[in-house]
Amino acid sequence: MKAFVFHGPGQSAWEEVPDPAIKEPTDAVVRVDAVTICGTDLHILKGDVPEVQPGTILGHEAVGEIVEIGSDVRTVRPGDRVLVSCISSCGRCSYCREGMYGQCRGGGGWILGHLVDGTQAEYVRVPFADLSVHALPSTVDSRDAVLLADIFPTSYEVGVLNGRVRPGDTVAVVGAGPIGLAAITTARLFAPERIVAVDLDPARLEAAKRLGADAVADAREAPEQLIADLTDGLGADVVMEAVGVPETFELCTRMVRPGGRVANIGVHGKPATLHLEELWIKNVTITTGLVDTHSTPTLLRMAAAGRLPTAQLVTHTFPLDHMAEAYDVFARAADTGALKIVLGGEQHEVAVRGT
């Protein structure tokens, strides 16, 4: 088969690799119909995630069809159309028993495209298939469903749920990229009084307004003053960080009201200053987190009911074998206007092995 392979910082290629095979009785092999690219994939290509070894197939999000299952798989069978979650779960360790699948200590967690071969390929082996793939209703299109593998559960769990968004809240989302936009759409489910989006890019701020932001602010123009003006000087009840740089995290802590919540979603590669000399007296709660994907079944039901505007985040589509071109467009989002990119490719037939 063909796959997009990481060969070290700045080096990658769409090339021929061996077909995946069942290694454990809990595995499934999925023929990939649609994948997307995550900002984390760009971090890997830059060398920011040293755990990813050269020779690893990238990607941790996909929609496809089950072609083979191990002998212990019970919830799916060949022919089923499924969503491949970005998080794999053993289902047995103490963290999985608490629903904290992202912290799995039984061989799961974020492993696809990280510690094992990922989804940006014609076929992918999915460990712990019973808990790591989700059957898709026929009413959910593949290009919509693939956004439920990572960005929607991440924004919803790490942003909206961790931030405890409630009716009547003022919510600020710093960063109007795909994660921030998904946070805006899922925050609306809790009927906040207003949602304010903060970004540098006018096109992304326009997208935020289309997806439900009540106000937008240029990050260069003192957005904390806008929040203060809207809240009689108190600050936002919930502020979500969806960028992953020190400046935006520190901005979030300046925008939150006493007793408010800062929910960090962004992936940080550098230290940020925590101004405890100002925050200690404010009863501010700061949360961080890796997505657990416990919300994926709920989000799938909402997508099937037309309650999640997933398609509005997809700005570019490519055939699966145009992976390098798609990465280039996604990496130059400021120039290309890319939000989410969906790739789909020709089917590659492989013999179904016995189970």
Side-chain angles (χ1 to χ4, degrees):
M1 70 170 185
K2 292 291 186 69
F4 193 65
V5 182
F6 172 71
H7 289 294
Q11 302 177 63
S12 57
W14 177 257
E15 61 189 46
E16 193 162 317
V17 298
D19 290 334
I22 297 291
K23 293 183 179 179
E24 301 291 340
T26 52
D27 290 348
V29 173
V30 175
R31 187 191 66 225
V32 173
D33 296 327
V35 299
T36 185
I37 302 170
C38 179
T40 306
D41 297 322
L42 298 182
H43 282 291
I44 293 171
L45 286 179
K46 292 177 183 177
D48 294 340
V49 188
E51 299 86 0
V52 181
Q53 296 298 306
T56 301
I57 298 170
L58 296 185
H60 50 267
E61 307 154 273
V63 168
E65 181 180 315
I66 299 282
V67 296
E68 183 182 0
I69 59 174
S71 58
D72 287 351
V73 176
R74 298 288 182 267
T75 61
V76 292
R77 60 185 181 181
D80 286 350
R81 180 169 167 264
V82 297
L83 172 70
V84 179
S85 175
C86 66
I87 297 295
S88 302
S89 168
C90 79
R92 298 177 179 177
C93 71
S94 60
Y95 282 107
C96 286
R97 287 176 180 270
E98 295 177 11
M100 297 175 64
Y101 307 128
Q103 304 301 323
C104 175
R105 290 298 183 266
W110 173 38
I111 57 174
L112 290 173
H114 179 207
L115 305 179
V116 304
D117 285 334
T119 59
Q120 290 171 3
E122 294 175 314
Y123 285 82
V124 58
R125 179 183 71 90
V126 182
F128 309 115
D130 278 333
L131 286 170
S132 305
V133 302
H134 301 270
L136 284 176
S138 59
T139 53
V140 180
D141 185 80
S142 293
R143 110 171 182 167
D144 295 337
V146 74
L147 301 192
L148 301 178
D150 186 353
I151 69 162
F152 269 87
T154 293
S155 299
Y156 181 59
E157 294 174 19
V158 184
V160 177
L161 296 185
N162 280 1
R164 304 200 311 275
V165 176
R166 297 177 294 202
D169 277 353
T170 292
V171 176
V173 179
V174 178
I179 287 288
L181 295 175
I184 289 168
T185 63
T186 50
R188 292 186 66 197
L189 302 173
F190 292 83
E193 180 181 359
R194 61 176 69 88
I195 300 174
V196 181
V198 179
D199 203 284
L200 296 169
D201 186 344
R204 291 193 167 190
L205 292 176
E206 284 299 317
K209 287 193 284 187
R210 291 195 302 271
L211 287 163
D214 301 287
V216 298
D218 189 314
R220 293 162 292 203
E221 298 178 1
E224 57 264 53
Q225 185 59 52
L226 172 62
I227 294 295
D229 292 344
L230 291 172
T231 59
D232 296 325
L234 277 179
D237 299 279
V238 182
V239 187
M240 302 182 207
E241 201 286 337
V243 181
V245 298
E247 294 80 7
T248 52
F249 175 78
E250 293 166 29
L251 172 63
C252 289
T253 63
R254 296 196 300 271
M255 295 170 69
V256 68
R257 69 166 175 83
R261 288 88 65 194
V262 175
N264 184 86
I265 315 172
V267 177
H268 288 263
K270 296 180 180 179
T273 301
L274 181 62
H275 288 282
L276 284 176
E277 77 279 7
E278 299 172 3
L279 294 171
W280 73 270
I281 201 169
K282 291 187 175 181
N283 293 25
V284 170
T285 299
I286 298 174
T287 59
T288 66
L290 173 67
V291 65
D292 294 311
T293 65
H294 61 74
S295 67
T296 302
T298 298
L299 295 172
L300 275 172
R301 290 195 300 273
M302 296 184 66
R307 299 297 181 91
L308 291 179
T310 50
Q312 295 184 44
L313 273 71
V314 178
T315 54
H316 296 74
T317 58
F318 293 89
L320 191 62
D321 60 1
H322 284 52
M323 194 69 68
E325 181 183 355
Y327 262 90
D328 177 64
V329 169
F330 188 60
R332 295 187 299 106
D335 299 322
T336 62
L339 291 174
K340 288 302 287 183
I341 291 174
V342 173
L343 302 97
E346 295 180 357
Q347 296 182 4
H348 166 76
E349 296 301 328
V350 64
V352 178
R353 303 171 182 87
T355 60

